[in-house]
């Protein structure tokens, strides 16, 4: 599996742990590797989202300070199903039931050991493909399509 990885200036503190956990996978490194320069998480979220859209990666790991901003921003990219996970169950169940394709982590919330565990659970998990999960994902896709109809913001998305 090819996995894109990206970090903002705070998320970079988990960089080594994420790469350690991905040692058996092909990694698309979208940076950053230092906290010396501020890197905004929305920029990194867009980069990982576009990598998945283009087919350059099947999944992605996105790390910011809390994981919250990364998750919020990544979910704005069409076709991206991102979630913040700070426990192993959510990291694998998000893939199995919700076909999550971006794992978001908070470097100020989880340490290196837990980060390795979460990344491993995420990349090992497979989408179940069951009818109820597919039906739910179709509903999510329909919501996404409606909200972005013709590239314009609809009334429902501004309330």
């Amino acid at each position: 599996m090819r996995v894109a990885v990206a970090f903002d200036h705070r998320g970079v503190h988990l960089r080594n742990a994420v790469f350690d956990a991905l040692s058996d996978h092909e990694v698309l490194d979208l940076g950053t590797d230092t906290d010396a320069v501020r890197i905004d998480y929305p920029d990194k979220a867009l980069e990982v989202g576009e990598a998945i859209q283009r087919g350059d990666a099947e999944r992605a790991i996105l790390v910011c300070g809390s994981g919250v901003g990364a998750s919020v921003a990544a979910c704005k990219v069409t076709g991206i199903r991102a979630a913040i996970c700070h426990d192993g169950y959510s990291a694998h169940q998000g893939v199995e039931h919700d076909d999550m394709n971006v794992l978001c982590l908070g470097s100020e919330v989880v340490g290196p050991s837990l980060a390795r565990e979460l990344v491993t659970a995420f990349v090992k998990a497979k989408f179940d493909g069951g009818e109820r999960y597919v039906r739910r994902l179709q509903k999510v896709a329909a919501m996404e399509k409606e909200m972005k109809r013709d590239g314009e913001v609809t009334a429902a998305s501004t309330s």
Side-chain angles (χ1 to χ4, degrees), residues 118-131:
L118 298 173
V119 170
T120 299
F122 172 67
V123 296
K124 284 186 174 182
K126 304 280 187 247
F127 179 56
D128 179 277
E131 181 273 329

Side-chain angles (χ1 to χ4, degrees), residues 6-9 12 15 29-35 37 39 44:
F7 310 85
D8 75 357
H9 61 282
V12 74
R15 183 177 170 84
D29 184 357
L30 300 174
T32 193
D33 60 2
T34 179
D35 63 2
V37 177
I39 303 295
K44 292 301 173 183

Side-chain angles (χ1 to χ4, degrees), residues 12-146:
V12 74
H13 302 290
L14 286 181
R15 183 177 170 84
N16 291 339
V18 169
F19 276 87
D20 288 349
L22 294 172
S23 62
D24 293 336
H25 299 277
E26 186 178 350
V27 176
L28 174 62
D29 184 357
L30 300 174
T32 193
D33 60 2
T34 179
D35 63 2
V37 177
R38 287 190 179 274
I39 303 295
D40 293 335
Y41 63 80
D43 299 330
K44 292 301 173 183
L46 183 58
E47 287 179 36
V48 299
E50 289 176 338
I52 290 172
Q53 287 176 331
R54 287 190 308 266
D56 294 343
E58 296 170 61
R59 295 192 196 160
I61 314 289
L62 181 59
V63 189
C64 70
S66 69
V68 174
S71 178
V72 168
C75 284
K76 301 301 180 189
V77 180
T78 302
I80 298 304
R81 294 169 303 280
I84 181 174
C85 296
H86 294 144
D87 64 90
Y89 176 78
S90 298
H92 73 79
Q93 188 272 340
V95 174
E96 292 167 356
H97 293 187
D98 305 306
D99 203 17
M100 176 174 69
N101 53 13
V102 178
L103 172 66
C104 298
L105 300 175
S107 66
E108 305 295 325
V109 181
V110 302
S113 178
L114 181 55
R116 284 188 288 273
E117 176 185 324
L118 298 173
V119 170
T120 299
F122 172 67
V123 296
K124 284 186 174 182
K126 304 280 187 247
F127 179 56
D128 179 277
E131 181 273 329
R132 65 183 172 164
Y133 305 125
V134 171
R135 183 182 70 247
R136 292 170 186 160
L137 288 172
Q138 289 170 339
K139 289 180 179 185
V140 170
M143 290 169 54
E144 185 175 69
K145 183 177 180 182
E146 177 62 26

Side-chain angles (χ1 to χ4, degrees), residues 146-159:
E146 177 62 26
M147 299 305 262
K148 295 181 180 180
R149 186 176 4 144
D150 298 327
E152 296 180 7
V153 177
T154 64
S157 66
T158 59
S159 54

